Amino acid sequence: RGRYAHTSVVYNNKIYVFGGMSISGSAGSCLNSIEIYDSNKNTWTTAPYTLSDYRARHCSVLINNIVYIFSGLNINSGPVSSCEKINLSSDNPVAVSCSSMKLERDSACATVLNGMIYIYGGNGPGSIIESNEYYNPSIDAWNYLNVAPMNNKYGLYSDGNACVVLNGKIYLIANLFATSTLNEVYDPSTNTWSVISTMNERRRQHAACVAVNGKIFAIGGTNLNTAGYLNSIEYYTPEN
């Protein structure tokens, strides 16, 4: 089924696609369906199970065999704080509710570091969220990240940034509303944010931002100065 504003994870040579917004039928309707691509068979199937909530512009991360799906937008109620998990190794996978986040938010970005799930910024009811949260799966609890504010509070909307983990640190790449190409890094060992080198392009909507061989690559997106689409690629090498 055609969809956008969805998320995906890779597990056991399969791609799992969660929720999103429908582009057929009722325009702008959120989905709770899950589709699975089997790379060995080159086939797509609809999972016999669904998400507990209809959601788009959400986050999903994989820890071992369990995928966590949280935050997002429900077209009827706005940003949501709910969280659910699915054990993909189970013979009968089913979505199970987890503790909710402290704040409702959609269009946030999230990543995993040292077994913890971190979520940054996003769009709350009527405003951009400046706070960050982390989730401890072992005790099923969300808490605010007790850290000094980021240097660029306007870079907290995931339409303009991406999270990448490299060498035990979390990098936020690019932003939506700032007048510069400011990027930042969070170091959990010191619990601090630091500004890093800026990008050459002021880009957003670059869903492809990955760490490979010690470098961070930002691929494509749109240019905030020209409103044009980008086919350029940049990479950043952190200091040792």
Side-chain angles (χ1 to χ4, degrees):
R1 182 175 187 176
R3 66 182 75 202
Y4 66 99
H6 52 278
T7 60
S8 62
V9 301
V10 176
Y11 175 74
N12 198 23
N13 295 320
K14 296 179 180 178
I15 301 172
Y16 293 77
V17 177
F18 305 97
M21 202 84 72
S22 172
I23 58 174
S24 62
S26 177
S29 60
C30 290
L31 302 172
N32 70 342
S33 60
I34 301 168
E35 294 190 57
I36 305 170
Y37 175 72
D38 189 326
S39 61
N40 294 322
K41 299 178 181 178
N42 190 30
T43 57
W44 283 95
T45 58
T46 299
Y49 50 94
T50 64
L51 299 176
S52 300
D53 291 326
Y54 292 82
R55 64 177 87 218
R57 300 177 185 170
H58 50 288
C59 298
S60 63
V61 298
L62 185 69
I63 300 180
N64 297 322
N65 56 312
I66 298 177
V67 59
Y68 294 84
I69 307 101
F70 48 96
S71 72
L73 175 71
N74 183 300
I75 204 68
N76 295 316
S77 60
V80 300
S81 61
S82 61
C83 175
E84 52 191 300
K85 65 180 179 180
I86 302 173
N87 185 344
L88 298 180
S89 68
S90 171
D91 292 334
N92 296 292
V94 62
V96 177
S97 295
C98 305
S99 294
S100 294
M101 299 185 303
K102 299 293 185 182
L103 291 176
E104 301 92 350
R105 62 181 86 203
D106 69 78
S107 302
C109 63
T111 192
V112 177
L113 179 61
N114 298 329
M116 300 288 187
I117 299 172
Y118 294 84
I119 185 169
Y120 297 96
N123 186 35
S127 64
I128 294 174
I129 297 173
E130 300 177 14
S131 65
N132 310 315
E133 300 182 45
Y134 69 95
Y135 175 72
N136 186 340
S138 65
I139 59 175
D140 185 29
W142 287 93
N143 285 289
Y144 288 114
L145 190 62
N146 185 21
V147 61
M150 296 172 61
N151 295 278
N152 177 24
K153 68 180 181 181
Y154 302 108
L156 293 178
Y157 189 59
S158 77
D159 189 38
N161 62 41
C163 294
V164 180
V165 172
L166 181 62
N167 299 331
K169 299 177 182 179
I170 299 174
Y171 292 81
L172 258 68
I173 307 300
N175 51 76
L176 177 58
F177 295 109
T179 57
S180 69
T181 50
L182 185 66
N183 304 306
E184 305 194 41
V185 57
Y186 171 68
D187 187 343
S189 67
T190 59
N191 197 33
T192 56
W193 286 100
S194 301
V195 174
I196 61 174
S197 298
T198 60
M199 292 199 299
N200 296 300
E201 296 274 8
R202 188 180 171 213
R203 68 180 73 215
R204 66 172 180 175
Q205 296 175 320
H206 51 293
C209 195
V210 295
V212 180
N213 294 330
K215 295 181 174 63
I216 297 172
F217 292 82
I219 304 169
T222 58
N223 185 297
L224 285 177
N225 295 322
T226 65
Y229 296 101
L230 297 170
N231 62 358
S232 60
I233 301 172
E234 301 184 47
Y235 71 88
Y236 169 74
T237 305
E239 295 180 0
N240 293 326

